[in-house]
Amino acid sequence: PRLASPPFREPVDWKNLELFDYPKIVKKPMDLGTVKRKLERGQYPNANECASDIRLIWTNCKTYNADGSDFYLLAESFSKRFEDRYKKIEAEYDTGSGSGEGEKKTP
């Protein structure tokens, strides 16, 4: 997965790539580098907020790129993997949808 993630690690350089319609189509750009920096700075109040930004990365990519394109399929694959793993985290920890943020759930 890490080898395939470079397109998502930094903001889309739409000017240099000459994707002049990108800011018209993607209203709230997001990338893994920004998510990492926000995590390191403690800017997410809970895991759900972080998950929302991660989901936004995949949604933006699929919104901008044609269904079936390499980028679209890559984003779809990352999205599925993320959701599968996040479900496991949600099952074990309080991710911020209720009280006891970040605490391990008790059986």
Side-chain angles (χ1 to χ4, degrees):
R2 239 178 165 9
L3 296 175
S5 69
F8 304 110
R9 290 187 194 163
E10 294 301 326
V12 172
D13 188 4
W14 59 269
K15 287 180 184 171
N16 282 334
L17 295 170
E18 299 184 9
L19 304 173
F20 300 113
D21 59 345
Y22 188 82
K24 293 179 182 102
I25 295 168
V26 175
K27 301 299 181 194
K28 187 180 176 195
M30 187 53 60
D31 62 275
L32 292 171
T34 300
V35 170
K36 182 180 179 191
R37 286 185 288 282
K38 287 176 77 172
L39 274 169
E40 291 169 347
R41 295 174 186 155
Q43 293 178 309
Y44 290 114
N46 56 52
N48 274 338
E49 294 290 322
C50 180
S52 290
D53 273 356
I54 293 170
R55 289 180 180 117
L56 183 59
I57 298 166
W58 320 136
T59 301
N60 285 347
C61 182
K62 293 191 317 186
T63 298
Y64 187 78
N65 293 283
D67 190 350
S69 70
D70 287 345
F71 284 121
Y72 186 100
L73 295 173
L74 191 59
E76 203 166 59
S77 170
F78 273 104
S79 176
K80 184 180 180 339
R81 264 189 259 158
F82 173 75
E83 294 304 333
D84 289 346
R85 290 179 179 164
Y86 194 67
K87 276 181 202 158
K88 293 174 187 167
I89 292 168
E90 281 183 313
E92 193 171 338
Y93 294 92
D94 182 342
T95 56
S97 53
S99 60
E101 256 171 54
E103 293 177 12
K104 194 163 177 101
K105 289 183 179 177
T106 51

